PDB file of all heavy atoms in Angstrom:
ATOM      1  N   PHE A   9     173.546  94.159  48.782  1.00 96.00           N
ATOM      2  CA  PHE A   9     174.682  93.253  48.658  1.00 96.00           C
ATOM      3  C   PHE A   9     175.926  93.791  49.359  1.00 96.00           C
ATOM      4  O   PHE A   9     176.948  93.104  49.420  1.00 96.00           O
ATOM      5  CB  PHE A   9     174.982  92.972  47.189  1.00 96.00           C
ATOM      6  CG  PHE A   9     173.856  92.250  46.493  1.00 96.00           C
ATOM      7  CD1 PHE A   9     173.047  92.913  45.596  1.00 96.00           C
ATOM      8  CD2 PHE A   9     173.588  90.920  46.778  1.00 96.00           C
ATOM      9  CE1 PHE A   9     171.987  92.264  44.972  1.00 96.00           C
ATOM     10  CE2 PHE A   9     172.538  90.258  46.160  1.00 96.00           C
ATOM     11  CZ  PHE A   9     171.735  90.931  45.262  1.00 96.00           C
ATOM     12  N   GLY A  10     175.826  95.001  49.911  1.00 96.00           N
ATOM     13  CA  GLY A  10     176.936  95.546  50.673  1.00 96.00           C
ATOM     14  C   GLY A  10     176.885  95.142  52.131  1.00 96.00           C
ATOM     15  O   GLY A  10     177.931  94.967  52.776  1.00 96.00           O
ATOM     16  N   LEU A  11     175.680  94.969  52.662  1.00 97.00           N
ATOM     17  CA  LEU A  11     175.510  94.595  54.065  1.00 97.00           C
ATOM     18  C   LEU A  11     175.449  93.070  54.217  1.00 97.00           C
ATOM     19  O   LEU A  11     175.090  92.362  53.266  1.00 97.00           O
ATOM     20  CB  LEU A  11     174.224  95.200  54.613  1.00 97.00           C
ATOM     21  CG  LEU A  11     174.165  96.729  54.706  1.00 97.00           C
ATOM     22  CD1 LEU A  11     172.804  97.167  55.248  1.00 97.00           C
ATOM     23  CD2 LEU A  11     175.287  97.276  55.574  1.00 97.00           C
ATOM     24  N   PRO A  12     175.749  92.575  55.401  1.00 96.00           N
ATOM     25  CA  PRO A  12     175.574  91.135  55.640  1.00 96.00           C
ATOM     26  C   PRO A  12     174.117  90.713  55.457  1.00 96.00           C
ATOM     27  O   PRO A  12     173.204  91.531  55.641  1.00 96.00           O
ATOM     28  CB  PRO A  12     176.004  90.984  57.111  1.00 96.00           C
ATOM     29  CG  PRO A  12     176.854  92.165  57.401  1.00 96.00           C
ATOM     30  CD  PRO A  12     176.318  93.279  56.560  1.00 96.00           C
ATOM     31  N   GLU A  13     173.920  89.464  55.087  1.00 95.00           N
ATOM     32  CA  GLU A  13     172.558  88.951  54.928  1.00 95.00           C
ATOM     33  C   GLU A  13     171.847  88.991  56.281  1.00 95.00           C
ATOM     34  O   GLU A  13     172.239  88.309  57.225  1.00 95.00           O
ATOM     35  CB  GLU A  13     172.591  87.521  54.393  1.00 95.00           C
ATOM     36  CG  GLU A  13     173.017  87.419  52.949  1.00 95.00           C
ATOM     37  CD  GLU A  13     172.932  85.987  52.448  1.00 95.00           C
ATOM     38  OE1 GLU A  13     171.934  85.297  52.780  1.00 95.00           O
ATOM     39  OE2 GLU A  13     173.872  85.549  51.756  1.00 95.00           O
ATOM     40  N   ALA A  14     170.821  89.808  56.358  1.00 95.00           N
ATOM     41  CA  ALA A  14     170.035  89.975  57.577  1.00 95.00           C
ATOM     42  C   ALA A  14     168.835  90.835  57.203  1.00 95.00           C
ATOM     43  O   ALA A  14     168.660  91.226  56.042  1.00 95.00           O
ATOM     44  CB  ALA A  14     170.859  90.638  58.686  1.00 95.00           C
ATOM     45  N   THR A  15     168.007  91.119  58.181  1.00 96.00           N
ATOM     46  CA  THR A  15     166.864  92.012  57.981  1.00 96.00           C
ATOM     47  C   THR A  15     167.147  93.335  58.675  1.00 96.00           C
ATOM     48  O   THR A  15     167.601  93.362  59.831  1.00 96.00           O
ATOM     49  CB  THR A  15     165.578  91.389  58.549  1.00 96.00           C
ATOM     50  OG1 THR A  15     165.329  90.157  57.867  1.00 96.00           O
ATOM     51  CG2 THR A  15     164.387  92.322  58.341  1.00 96.00           C
ATOM     52  N   TYR A  16     166.877  94.423  57.965  1.00 96.00           N
ATOM     53  CA  TYR A  16     167.157  95.766  58.459  1.00 96.00           C
ATOM     54  C   TYR A  16     165.878  96.601  58.405  1.00 96.00           C
ATOM     55  O   TYR A  16     164.904  96.244  57.741  1.00 96.00           O
ATOM     56  CB  TYR A  16     168.247  96.428  57.614  1.00 96.00           C
ATOM     57  CG  TYR A  16     169.550  95.658  57.594  1.00 96.00           C
ATOM     58  CD1 TYR A  16     169.734  94.573  56.731  1.00 96.00           C
ATOM     59  CD2 TYR A  16     170.599  96.008  58.437  1.00 96.00           C
ATOM     60  CE1 TYR A  16     170.918  93.860  56.724  1.00 96.00           C
ATOM     61  CE2 TYR A  16     171.795  95.296  58.431  1.00 96.00           C
ATOM     62  CZ  TYR A  16     171.944  94.225  57.571  1.00 96.00           C
ATOM     63  OH  TYR A  16     173.125  93.511  57.575  1.00 96.00           O
ATOM     64  N   HIS A  17     165.902  97.727  59.102  1.00 96.00           N
ATOM     65  CA  HIS A  17     164.820  98.699  58.974  1.00 96.00           C
ATOM     66  C   HIS A  17     165.409 100.094  59.076  1.00 96.00           C
ATOM     67  O   HIS A  17     166.484 100.288  59.661  1.00 96.00           O
ATOM     68  CB  HIS A  17     163.749  98.492  60.051  1.00 96.00           C
ATOM     69  CG  HIS A  17     164.209  98.837  61.436  1.00 96.00           C
ATOM     70  ND1 HIS A  17     164.830  97.922  62.264  1.00 96.00           N
ATOM     71  CD2 HIS A  17     164.161  99.999  62.148  1.00 96.00           C
ATOM     72  CE1 HIS A  17     165.133  98.485  63.420  1.00 96.00           C
ATOM     73  NE2 HIS A  17     164.734  99.758  63.379  1.00 96.00           N
ATOM     74  N   LEU A  18     164.715 101.061  58.512  1.00 95.00           N
ATOM     75  CA  LEU A  18     165.155 102.452  58.606  1.00 95.00           C
ATOM     76  C   LEU A  18     164.789 102.989  59.980  1.00 95.00           C
ATOM     77  O   LEU A  18     163.611 102.959  60.373  1.00 95.00           O
ATOM     78  CB  LEU A  18     164.509 103.293  57.511  1.00 95.00           C
ATOM     79  CG  LEU A  18     165.242 103.353  56.173  1.00 95.00           C
ATOM     80  CD1 LEU A  18     164.409 104.131  55.158  1.00 95.00           C
ATOM     81  CD2 LEU A  18     166.611 103.985  56.325  1.00 95.00           C
ATOM     82  N   ALA A  19     165.786 103.500  60.691  1.00 94.00           N
ATOM     83  CA  ALA A  19     165.538 104.082  62.008  1.00 94.00           C
ATOM     84  C   ALA A  19     164.743 105.369  61.866  1.00 94.00           C
ATOM     85  O   ALA A  19     164.779 106.039  60.824  1.00 94.00           O
ATOM     86  CB  ALA A  19     166.870 104.351  62.710  1.00 94.00           C
ATOM     87  N   ASP A  20     164.023 105.720  62.917  1.00 90.00           N
ATOM     88  CA  ASP A  20     163.268 106.968  62.906  1.00 90.00           C
ATOM     89  C   ASP A  20     164.202 108.159  62.767  1.00 90.00           C
ATOM     90  O   ASP A  20     163.860 109.159  62.142  1.00 90.00           O
ATOM     91  CB  ASP A  20     162.434 107.091  64.188  1.00 90.00           C
ATOM     92  CG  ASP A  20     161.322 106.061  64.253  1.00 90.00           C
ATOM     93  OD1 ASP A  20     160.891 105.602  63.180  1.00 90.00           O
ATOM     94  OD2 ASP A  20     160.895 105.712  65.366  1.00 90.00           O
ATOM     95  N   GLU A  21     165.387 108.058  63.391  1.00 90.00           N
ATOM     96  CA  GLU A  21     166.384 109.100  63.183  1.00 90.00           C
ATOM     97  C   GLU A  21     166.930 108.948  61.766  1.00 90.00           C
ATOM     98  O   GLU A  21     167.079 107.861  61.255  1.00 90.00           O
ATOM     99  CB  GLU A  21     167.537 108.951  64.183  1.00 90.00           C
ATOM    100  CG  GLU A  21     167.131 108.810  65.628  1.00 90.00           C
ATOM    101  CD  GLU A  21     166.846 107.378  66.029  1.00 90.00           C
ATOM    102  OE1 GLU A  21     167.026 106.478  65.164  1.00 90.00           O
ATOM    103  OE2 GLU A  21     166.450 107.155  67.186  1.00 90.00           O
ATOM    104  N   GLY A  22     167.257 110.017  61.159  1.00 92.00           N
ATOM    105  CA  GLY A  22     167.791 109.946  59.795  1.00 92.00           C
ATOM    106  C   GLY A  22     167.483 111.208  59.038  1.00 92.00           C
ATOM    107  O   GLY A  22     166.603 111.979  59.412  1.00 92.00           O
ATOM    108  N   VAL A  23     168.187 111.405  57.932  1.00 94.00           N
ATOM    109  CA  VAL A  23     168.084 112.667  57.190  1.00 94.00           C
ATOM    110  C   VAL A  23     167.238 112.547  55.925  1.00 94.00           C
ATOM    111  O   VAL A  23     167.044 113.540  55.226  1.00 94.00           O
ATOM    112  CB  VAL A  23     169.487 113.194  56.827  1.00 94.00           C
ATOM    113  CG1 VAL A  23     170.274 113.501  58.090  1.00 94.00           C
ATOM    114  CG2 VAL A  23     170.236 112.208  55.933  1.00 94.00           C
ATOM    115  N   LEU A  24     166.754 111.351  55.613  1.00 93.00           N
ATOM    116  CA  LEU A  24     165.965 111.184  54.399  1.00 93.00           C
ATOM    117  C   LEU A  24     164.500 111.495  54.668  1.00 93.00           C
ATOM    118  O   LEU A  24     163.884 110.901  55.557  1.00 93.00           O
ATOM    119  CB  LEU A  24     166.081 109.752  53.867  1.00 93.00           C
ATOM    120  CG  LEU A  24     167.430 109.339  53.277  1.00 93.00           C
ATOM    121  CD1 LEU A  24     167.379 107.892  52.834  1.00 93.00           C
ATOM    122  CD2 LEU A  24     167.814 110.245  52.110  1.00 93.00           C
ATOM    123  N   ASP A  25     163.943 112.409  53.892  1.00 90.00           N
ATOM    124  CA  ASP A  25     162.514 112.701  54.013  1.00 90.00           C
ATOM    125  C   ASP A  25     161.674 111.672  53.265  1.00 90.00           C
ATOM    126  O   ASP A  25     160.601 111.283  53.720  1.00 90.00           O
ATOM    127  CB  ASP A  25     162.212 114.107  53.474  1.00 90.00           C
ATOM    128  CG  ASP A  25     162.818 115.200  54.350  1.00 90.00           C
ATOM    129  OD1 ASP A  25     162.891 114.992  55.577  1.00 90.00           O
ATOM    130  OD2 ASP A  25     163.233 116.227  53.797  1.00 90.00           O
ATOM    131  N   ASP A  26     162.153 111.232  52.107  1.00 93.00           N
ATOM    132  CA  ASP A  26     161.387 110.307  51.268  1.00 93.00           C
ATOM    133  C   ASP A  26     161.867 108.886  51.516  1.00 93.00           C
ATOM    134  O   ASP A  26     162.673 108.325  50.780  1.00 93.00           O
ATOM    135  CB  ASP A  26     161.528 110.678  49.794  1.00 93.00           C
ATOM    136  CG  ASP A  26     160.485 110.006  48.920  1.00 93.00           C
ATOM    137  OD1 ASP A  26     159.925 108.978  49.357  1.00 93.00           O
ATOM    138  OD2 ASP A  26     160.229 110.503  47.810  1.00 93.00           O
ATOM    139  N   ARG A  27     161.366 108.282  52.563  1.00 93.00           N
ATOM    140  CA  ARG A  27     161.779 106.930  52.931  1.00 93.00           C
ATOM    141  C   ARG A  27     161.261 105.901  51.928  1.00 93.00           C
ATOM    142  O   ARG A  27     161.892 104.865  51.700  1.00 93.00           O
ATOM    143  CB  ARG A  27     161.284 106.615  54.340  1.00 93.00           C
ATOM    144  CG  ARG A  27     161.909 107.498  55.410  1.00 93.00           C
ATOM    145  CD  ARG A  27     161.079 107.511  56.685  1.00 93.00           C
ATOM    146  NE  ARG A  27     160.998 106.206  57.309  1.00 93.00           N
ATOM    147  CZ  ARG A  27     161.787 105.786  58.304  1.00 93.00           C
ATOM    148  NH1 ARG A  27     162.728 106.590  58.772  1.00 93.00           N
ATOM    149  NH2 ARG A  27     161.639 104.589  58.837  1.00 93.00           N
ATOM    150  N   SER A  28     160.107 106.160  51.339  1.00 95.00           N
ATOM    151  CA  SER A  28     159.552 105.230  50.360  1.00 95.00           C
ATOM    152  C   SER A  28     160.448 105.145  49.126  1.00 95.00           C
ATOM    153  O   SER A  28     160.695 104.048  48.600  1.00 95.00           O
ATOM    154  CB  SER A  28     158.141 105.661  49.970  1.00 95.00           C
ATOM    155  OG  SER A  28     157.606 104.794  48.996  1.00 95.00           O
ATOM    156  N   GLN A  29     160.933 106.293  48.666  1.00 96.00           N
ATOM    157  CA  GLN A  29     161.830 106.293  47.513  1.00 96.00           C
ATOM    158  C   GLN A  29     163.137 105.578  47.850  1.00 96.00           C
ATOM    159  O   GLN A  29     163.712 104.874  47.015  1.00 96.00           O
ATOM    160  CB  GLN A  29     162.100 107.730  47.067  1.00 96.00           C
ATOM    161  CG  GLN A  29     162.721 107.858  45.692  1.00 96.00           C
ATOM    162  CD  GLN A  29     161.740 107.642  44.562  1.00 96.00           C
ATOM    163  OE1 GLN A  29     160.656 107.089  44.756  1.00 96.00           O
ATOM    164  NE2 GLN A  29     162.098 108.074  43.374  1.00 96.00           N
ATOM    165  N   ALA A  30     163.603 105.731  49.074  1.00 96.00           N
ATOM    166  CA  ALA A  30     164.814 105.027  49.500  1.00 96.00           C
ATOM    167  C   ALA A  30     164.585 103.520  49.510  1.00 96.00           C
ATOM    168  O   ALA A  30     165.460 102.740  49.111  1.00 96.00           O
ATOM    169  CB  ALA A  30     165.238 105.518  50.882  1.00 96.00           C
ATOM    170  N   ALA A  31     163.406 103.094  49.963  1.00 97.00           N
ATOM    171  CA  ALA A  31     163.085 101.669  49.961  1.00 97.00           C
ATOM    172  C   ALA A  31     163.004 101.130  48.528  1.00 97.00           C
ATOM    173  O   ALA A  31     163.420  99.994  48.252  1.00 97.00           O
ATOM    174  CB  ALA A  31     161.769 101.431  50.689  1.00 97.00           C
ATOM    175  N   LEU A  32     162.482 101.942  47.615  1.00 97.00           N
ATOM    176  CA  LEU A  32     162.456 101.534  46.208  1.00 97.00           C
ATOM    177  C   LEU A  32     163.873 101.339  45.691  1.00 97.00           C
ATOM    178  O   LEU A  32     164.169 100.349  45.000  1.00 97.00           O
ATOM    179  CB  LEU A  32     161.722 102.580  45.375  1.00 97.00           C
ATOM    180  CG  LEU A  32     161.717 102.357  43.856  1.00 97.00           C
ATOM    181  CD1 LEU A  32     161.031 101.048  43.502  1.00 97.00           C
ATOM    182  CD2 LEU A  32     161.044 103.531  43.140  1.00 97.00           C
ATOM    183  N   GLY A  33     164.778 102.258  46.030  1.00 97.00           N
ATOM    184  CA  GLY A  33     166.166 102.116  45.615  1.00 97.00           C
ATOM    185  C   GLY A  33     166.792 100.847  46.149  1.00 97.00           C
ATOM    186  O   GLY A  33     167.558 100.169  45.452  1.00 97.00           O
ATOM    187  N   TRP A  34     166.460 100.507  47.397  1.00 97.00           N
ATOM    188  CA  TRP A  34     166.950  99.248  47.981  1.00 97.00           C
ATOM    189  C   TRP A  34     166.479  98.057  47.131  1.00 97.00           C
ATOM    190  O   TRP A  34     167.275  97.183  46.777  1.00 97.00           O
ATOM    191  CB  TRP A  34     166.431  99.123  49.410  1.00 97.00           C
ATOM    192  CG  TRP A  34     166.797  97.851  50.123  1.00 97.00           C
ATOM    193  CD1 TRP A  34     166.349  96.589  49.845  1.00 97.00           C
ATOM    194  CD2 TRP A  34     167.701  97.714  51.228  1.00 97.00           C
ATOM    195  NE1 TRP A  34     166.892  95.674  50.716  1.00 97.00           N
ATOM    196  CE2 TRP A  34     167.738  96.324  51.576  1.00 97.00           C
ATOM    197  CE3 TRP A  34     168.455  98.612  51.978  1.00 97.00           C
ATOM    198  CZ2 TRP A  34     168.503  95.847  52.627  1.00 97.00           C
ATOM    199  CZ3 TRP A  34     169.235  98.131  53.026  1.00 97.00           C
ATOM    200  CH2 TRP A  34     169.244  96.766  53.337  1.00 97.00           C
ATOM    201  N   ALA A  35     165.192  98.034  46.815  1.00 97.00           N
ATOM    202  CA  ALA A  35     164.640  96.910  46.059  1.00 97.00           C
ATOM    203  C   ALA A  35     165.246  96.820  44.663  1.00 97.00           C
ATOM    204  O   ALA A  35     165.533  95.718  44.167  1.00 97.00           O
ATOM    205  CB  ALA A  35     163.123  97.042  45.973  1.00 97.00           C
ATOM    206  N   LEU A  36     165.457  97.972  44.011  1.00 97.00           N
ATOM    207  CA  LEU A  36     166.064  97.949  42.686  1.00 97.00           C
ATOM    208  C   LEU A  36     167.512  97.466  42.755  1.00 97.00           C
ATOM    209  O   LEU A  36     168.001  96.803  41.832  1.00 97.00           O
ATOM    210  CB  LEU A  36     166.000  99.342  42.058  1.00 97.00           C
ATOM    211  CG  LEU A  36     164.588  99.908  41.815  1.00 97.00           C
ATOM    212  CD1 LEU A  36     164.672 101.270  41.142  1.00 97.00           C
ATOM    213  CD2 LEU A  36     163.738  98.951  40.980  1.00 97.00           C
ATOM    214  N   GLY A  37     168.182  97.788  43.855  1.00 97.00           N
ATOM    215  CA  GLY A  37     169.556  97.341  44.026  1.00 97.00           C
ATOM    216  C   GLY A  37     169.673  95.869  44.364  1.00 97.00           C
ATOM    217  O   GLY A  37     170.765  95.295  44.283  1.00 97.00           O
ATOM    218  N   ALA A  38     168.568  95.238  44.746  1.00 97.00           N
ATOM    219  CA  ALA A  38     168.582  93.815  45.111  1.00 97.00           C
ATOM    220  C   ALA A  38     168.360  92.899  43.911  1.00 97.00           C
ATOM    221  O   ALA A  38     168.406  91.674  44.044  1.00 97.00           O
ATOM    222  CB  ALA A  38     167.504  93.547  46.161  1.00 97.00           C
ATOM    223  N   TYR A  39     168.142  93.474  42.731  1.00 97.00           N
ATOM    224  CA  TYR A  39     167.857  92.666  41.540  1.00 97.00           C
ATOM    225  C   TYR A  39     169.047  91.796  41.158  1.00 97.00           C
ATOM    226  O   TYR A  39     170.201  92.224  41.191  1.00 97.00           O
ATOM    227  CB  TYR A  39     167.499  93.581  40.371  1.00 97.00           C
ATOM    228  CG  TYR A  39     167.400  92.868  39.038  1.00 97.00           C
ATOM    229  CD1 TYR A  39     166.234  92.230  38.666  1.00 97.00           C
ATOM    230  CD2 TYR A  39     168.497  92.825  38.173  1.00 97.00           C
ATOM    231  CE1 TYR A  39     166.139  91.565  37.447  1.00 97.00           C
ATOM    232  CE2 TYR A  39     168.413  92.164  36.947  1.00 97.00           C
ATOM    233  CZ  TYR A  39     167.230  91.536  36.595  1.00 97.00           C
ATOM    234  OH  TYR A  39     167.146  90.884  35.395  1.00 97.00           O
ATOM    235  N   GLN A  40     168.749  90.565  40.767  1.00 96.00           N
ATOM    236  CA  GLN A  40     169.746  89.671  40.180  1.00 96.00           C
ATOM    237  C   GLN A  40     169.108  88.910  39.022  1.00 96.00           C
ATOM    238  O   GLN A  40     167.974  88.459  39.136  1.00 96.00           O
ATOM    239  CB  GLN A  40     170.262  88.653  41.210  1.00 96.00           C
ATOM    240  CG  GLN A  40     170.962  89.259  42.399  1.00 96.00           C
ATOM    241  CD  GLN A  40     171.511  88.194  43.330  1.00 96.00           C
ATOM    242  OE1 GLN A  40     172.636  87.738  43.189  1.00 96.00           O
ATOM    243  NE2 GLN A  40     170.699  87.795  44.293  1.00 96.00           N
ATOM    244  N   PHE A  41     169.846  88.785  37.930  1.00 97.00           N
ATOM    245  CA  PHE A  41     169.376  87.977  36.795  1.00 97.00           C
ATOM    246  C   PHE A  41     169.994  86.590  36.937  1.00 97.00           C
ATOM    247  O   PHE A  41     171.189  86.399  36.734  1.00 97.00           O
ATOM    248  CB  PHE A  41     169.787  88.624  35.477  1.00 97.00           C
ATOM    249  CG  PHE A  41     169.247  87.908  34.269  1.00 97.00           C
ATOM    250  CD1 PHE A  41     167.879  87.778  34.072  1.00 97.00           C
ATOM    251  CD2 PHE A  41     170.102  87.373  33.322  1.00 97.00           C
ATOM    252  CE1 PHE A  41     167.374  87.120  32.955  1.00 97.00           C
ATOM    253  CE2 PHE A  41     169.616  86.719  32.195  1.00 97.00           C
ATOM    254  CZ  PHE A  41     168.244  86.592  32.022  1.00 97.00           C
ATOM    255  N   ASP A  42     169.165  85.632  37.315  1.00 95.00           N
ATOM    256  CA  ASP A  42     169.695  84.317  37.693  1.00 95.00           C
ATOM    257  C   ASP A  42     169.239  83.191  36.764  1.00 95.00           C
ATOM    258  O   ASP A  42     169.267  82.019  37.145  1.00 95.00           O
ATOM    259  CB  ASP A  42     169.298  83.993  39.135  1.00 95.00           C
ATOM    260  CG  ASP A  42     167.784  84.023  39.352  1.00 95.00           C
ATOM    261  OD1 ASP A  42     167.039  84.185  38.360  1.00 95.00           O
ATOM    262  OD2 ASP A  42     167.349  83.895  40.505  1.00 95.00           O
ATOM    263  N   ARG A  43     168.855  83.524  35.541  1.00 96.00           N
ATOM    264  CA  ARG A  43     168.359  82.486  34.633  1.00 96.00           C
ATOM    265  C   ARG A  43     169.456  81.492  34.251  1.00 96.00           C
ATOM    266  O   ARG A  43     169.173  80.311  34.035  1.00 96.00           O
ATOM    267  CB  ARG A  43     167.770  83.124  33.377  1.00 96.00           C
ATOM    268  CG  ARG A  43     167.243  82.121  32.371  1.00 96.00           C
ATOM    269  CD  ARG A  43     166.372  82.754  31.321  1.00 96.00           C
ATOM    270  NE  ARG A  43     165.889  81.772  30.358  1.00 96.00           N
ATOM    271  CZ  ARG A  43     164.942  82.003  29.456  1.00 96.00           C
ATOM    272  NH1 ARG A  43     164.355  83.192  29.402  1.00 96.00           N
ATOM    273  NH2 ARG A  43     164.576  81.064  28.607  1.00 96.00           N
ATOM    274  N   TYR A  44     170.683  81.952  34.174  1.00 97.00           N
ATOM    275  CA  TYR A  44     171.753  81.098  33.643  1.00 97.00           C
ATOM    276  C   TYR A  44     172.840  80.763  34.665  1.00 97.00           C
ATOM    277  O   TYR A  44     173.762  80.015  34.345  1.00 97.00           O
ATOM    278  CB  TYR A  44     172.394  81.768  32.424  1.00 97.00           C
ATOM    279  CG  TYR A  44     171.401  82.037  31.317  1.00 97.00           C
ATOM    280  CD1 TYR A  44     170.870  83.312  31.132  1.00 97.00           C
ATOM    281  CD2 TYR A  44     170.959  81.019  30.479  1.00 97.00           C
ATOM    282  CE1 TYR A  44     169.947  83.566  30.128  1.00 97.00           C
ATOM    283  CE2 TYR A  44     170.035  81.265  29.470  1.00 97.00           C
ATOM    284  CZ  TYR A  44     169.532  82.537  29.302  1.00 97.00           C
ATOM    285  OH  TYR A  44     168.611  82.782  28.314  1.00 97.00           O
ATOM    286  N   ARG A  45     172.761  81.318  35.861  1.00 95.00           N
ATOM    287  CA  ARG A  45     173.734  80.963  36.892  1.00 95.00           C
ATOM    288  C   ARG A  45     173.131  81.221  38.273  1.00 95.00           C
ATOM    289  O   ARG A  45     172.264  82.081  38.430  1.00 95.00           O
ATOM    290  CB  ARG A  45     175.030  81.746  36.738  1.00 95.00           C
ATOM    291  CG  ARG A  45     174.909  83.249  36.965  1.00 95.00           C
ATOM    292  CD  ARG A  45     176.247  83.934  36.789  1.00 95.00           C
ATOM    293  NE  ARG A  45     176.145  85.364  37.021  1.00 95.00           N
ATOM    294  CZ  ARG A  45     177.140  86.225  36.823  1.00 95.00           C
ATOM    295  NH1 ARG A  45     178.305  85.781  36.387  1.00 95.00           N
ATOM    296  NH2 ARG A  45     176.972  87.511  37.058  1.00 95.00           N
ATOM    297  N   GLN A  46     173.629  80.489  39.240  1.00 94.00           N
ATOM    298  CA  GLN A  46     173.151  80.630  40.605  1.00 94.00           C
ATOM    299  C   GLN A  46     173.706  81.911  41.230  1.00 94.00           C
ATOM    300  O   GLN A  46     174.891  82.220  41.052  1.00 94.00           O
ATOM    301  CB  GLN A  46     173.598  79.437  41.443  1.00 94.00           C
ATOM    302  CG  GLN A  46     172.828  78.153  41.156  1.00 94.00           C
ATOM    303  CD  GLN A  46     171.384  78.251  41.616  1.00 94.00           C
ATOM    304  OE1 GLN A  46     170.469  78.314  40.821  1.00 94.00           O
ATOM    305  NE2 GLN A  46     171.193  78.288  42.922  1.00 94.00           N
ATOM    306  N   PRO A  47     172.884  82.669  41.944  1.00 93.00           N
ATOM    307  CA  PRO A  47     173.399  83.854  42.627  1.00 93.00           C
ATOM    308  C   PRO A  47     174.430  83.468  43.677  1.00 93.00           C
ATOM    309  O   PRO A  47     174.357  82.399  44.289  1.00 93.00           O
ATOM    310  CB  PRO A  47     172.149  84.453  43.293  1.00 93.00           C
ATOM    311  CG  PRO A  47     170.991  83.845  42.578  1.00 93.00           C
ATOM    312  CD  PRO A  47     171.438  82.490  42.130  1.00 93.00           C
ATOM    313  N   LYS A  48     175.401  84.342  43.885  1.00 91.00           N
ATOM    314  CA  LYS A  48     176.429  84.075  44.882  1.00 91.00           C
ATOM    315  C   LYS A  48     175.875  84.191  46.296  1.00 91.00           C
ATOM    316  O   LYS A  48     176.369  83.534  47.216  1.00 91.00           O
ATOM    317  CB  LYS A  48     177.605  85.037  44.689  1.00 91.00           C
ATOM    318  CG  LYS A  48     178.345  84.837  43.369  1.00 91.00           C
ATOM    319  CD  LYS A  48     179.498  85.820  43.216  1.00 91.00           C
ATOM    320  CE  LYS A  48     180.230  85.598  41.907  1.00 91.00           C
ATOM    321  NZ  LYS A  48     181.343  86.581  41.721  1.00 91.00           N
ATOM    322  N   ARG A  49     174.857  85.025  46.474  1.00 94.00           N
ATOM    323  CA  ARG A  49     174.247  85.196  47.782  1.00 94.00           C
ATOM    324  C   ARG A  49     172.890  85.833  47.599  1.00 94.00           C
ATOM    325  O   ARG A  49     172.574  86.389  46.544  1.00 94.00           O
ATOM    326  CB  ARG A  49     175.104  86.070  48.692  1.00 94.00           C
ATOM    327  CG  ARG A  49     175.458  87.434  48.119  1.00 94.00           C
ATOM    328  CD  ARG A  49     175.859  88.440  49.188  1.00 94.00           C
ATOM    329  NE  ARG A  49     174.708  88.912  49.961  1.00 94.00           N
ATOM    330  CZ  ARG A  49     174.780  89.910  50.857  1.00 94.00           C
ATOM    331  NH1 ARG A  49     175.931  90.504  51.088  1.00 94.00           N
ATOM    332  NH2 ARG A  49     173.704  90.297  51.507  1.00 94.00           N
ATOM    333  N   ALA A  50     172.078  85.762  48.638  1.00 95.00           N
ATOM    334  CA  ALA A  50     170.787  86.443  48.642  1.00 95.00           C
ATOM    335  C   ALA A  50     170.988  87.875  49.115  1.00 95.00           C
ATOM    336  O   ALA A  50     171.913  88.173  49.881  1.00 95.00           O
ATOM    337  CB  ALA A  50     169.811  85.727  49.565  1.00 95.00           C
ATOM    338  N   PRO A  51     170.151  88.794  48.670  1.00 96.00           N
ATOM    339  CA  PRO A  51     170.287  90.174  49.145  1.00 96.00           C
ATOM    340  C   PRO A  51     169.816  90.314  50.592  1.00 96.00           C
ATOM    341  O   PRO A  51     169.010  89.520  51.081  1.00 96.00           O
ATOM    342  CB  PRO A  51     169.370  90.953  48.200  1.00 96.00           C
ATOM    343  CG  PRO A  51     168.338  89.954  47.775  1.00 96.00           C
ATOM    344  CD  PRO A  51     169.052  88.637  47.699  1.00 96.00           C
TER     345      PRO A  51
END
């Protein structure tokens, strides 16, 4: 929700060894509880 709505990928350059764990963090950060109101935007 910090970046503009688009599709991104992790570049080969980078300092993270555990890219899978980073991707999990991304997915957990994309959660929205929308049962009672419409989300303001898509992740």
Side-chain angles (χ1 to χ4, degrees):
F9 296 107
L11 294 179
E13 289 184 42
T15 300
Y16 301 82
H17 69 272
L18 272 175
D20 292 335
E21 310 87 3
V23 297
L24 290 179
D25 292 327
D26 195 339
R27 296 160 63 96
S28 178
Q29 195 76 343
L32 175 61
W34 177 291
L36 298 182
Y39 171 84
Q40 298 183 89
F41 185 61
D42 57 6
R43 179 166 179 169
Y44 301 101
R45 66 180 181 186
Q46 286 292 110
K48 295 180 179 178
R49 55 159 286 188

